[in-house]
Amino acid sequence: MAQRRRRSSISRMEDLPPISPPHDIAVMTNLVSQLLKALGESPGRNGLLKTPERVAKALLFMTKGYHEDIERLLNGALFPIEYDEMVIVKDIDFFSMCEHHLLPFFGKCHVGYLPNKKVVGLSKIPRVVDAFARRLQVQERLTTQIAETLKRKLDAHGVAVVMEARHLCMMMRGVEKQNTLAVTSSMLGAFRTQDQTRNEFLKLIRRNAVGEA
Ligand SMILES: [Zn+2]
């Protein structure tokens, strides 16, 4: 049943691994234990006894977006409406993991769209962000996936997504740049073709607080 549902969803289209949590946890626990040994640690010492299983469970949680059914999430939350002004949900916190180092990157995501006879429940937008963020990602692809999915599901006149993130793989290793913010954007439809629309969105996401001009 679960298999059939995934077949029609985005996650199935991206050819993602099947779900088998108990088995995965056992396999991963064993691997983390070996990893600890390779690092020169003793997995048997008191502080580390439960670490492999904790790490396995944490990793499964941080990649649970693979198993989110985004189609179903959005299908139940679309409403017909005549409203055709820009809708913006900004400052959405997100946490993801870079697929090159398996280290976190995290920050804020801003989403805007121009409705075309239907809108989506506002709370669903952060859930779409989460579903794509909680996977192994690169920030550029994450940004595009959110924008393209919303564009397609909402049939919107345009969708804009801007993501600002700090990457621990840059902060803790390599170039060790502590304050670097990586910014990516995906502008589709009217946000790509009309400067005025794009600029209005960019201006609105720069405003700091409710009521502030
Ligand atoms: Zn990285």
Side-chain angles (χ1 to χ4, degrees), residues 88-95 106-112 122 124-130 146 162-164:
I88 294 181
V89 181
K90 65 176 213 165
D91 294 329
I92 303 166
D93 290 310
F94 76 89
F95 296 86
F106 54 95
K108 302 274 188 200
C109 176
H110 316 290
V111 175
L122 289 178
K124 303 298 178 188
I125 290 180
R127 290 190 59 189
V128 170
V129 172
D130 245 9
I146 295 165
V162 170
M163 302 190 90
E164 307 171 298

Side-chain angles (χ1 to χ4, degrees), residues 5 10 31 34 64 76 131-132 148 151 196-197 204:
R5 203 171 63 227
I10 285 177
L31 288 170
Q34 289 180 49
K64 69 189 171 108
F132 283 113
E148 288 179 349
K151 176 89 166 68
Q196 197 187 339
T197 304
L204 287 168

Side-chain angles (χ1 to χ4, degrees), residues 17-31:
I19 314 172
S20 54
H23 173 70
D24 290 345
I25 286 175
V27 170
M28 289 164 70
T29 299
N30 187 29
L31 288 170

Side-chain angles (χ1 to χ4, degrees), residues 171-198:
M171 296 167 75
M172 294 177 71
R173 55 162 290 288
V175 290
E176 293 190 52
K177 292 288 180 244
Q178 314 302 335
N179 295 310
T180 309
L181 203 57
V183 181
T184 48
S185 74
S186 178
M187 301 285 160
L188 303 177
F191 290 91
R192 177 177 289 266
T193 56
Q194 297 172 14
D195 289 352
Q196 197 187 339
T197 304
R198 183 171 57 248

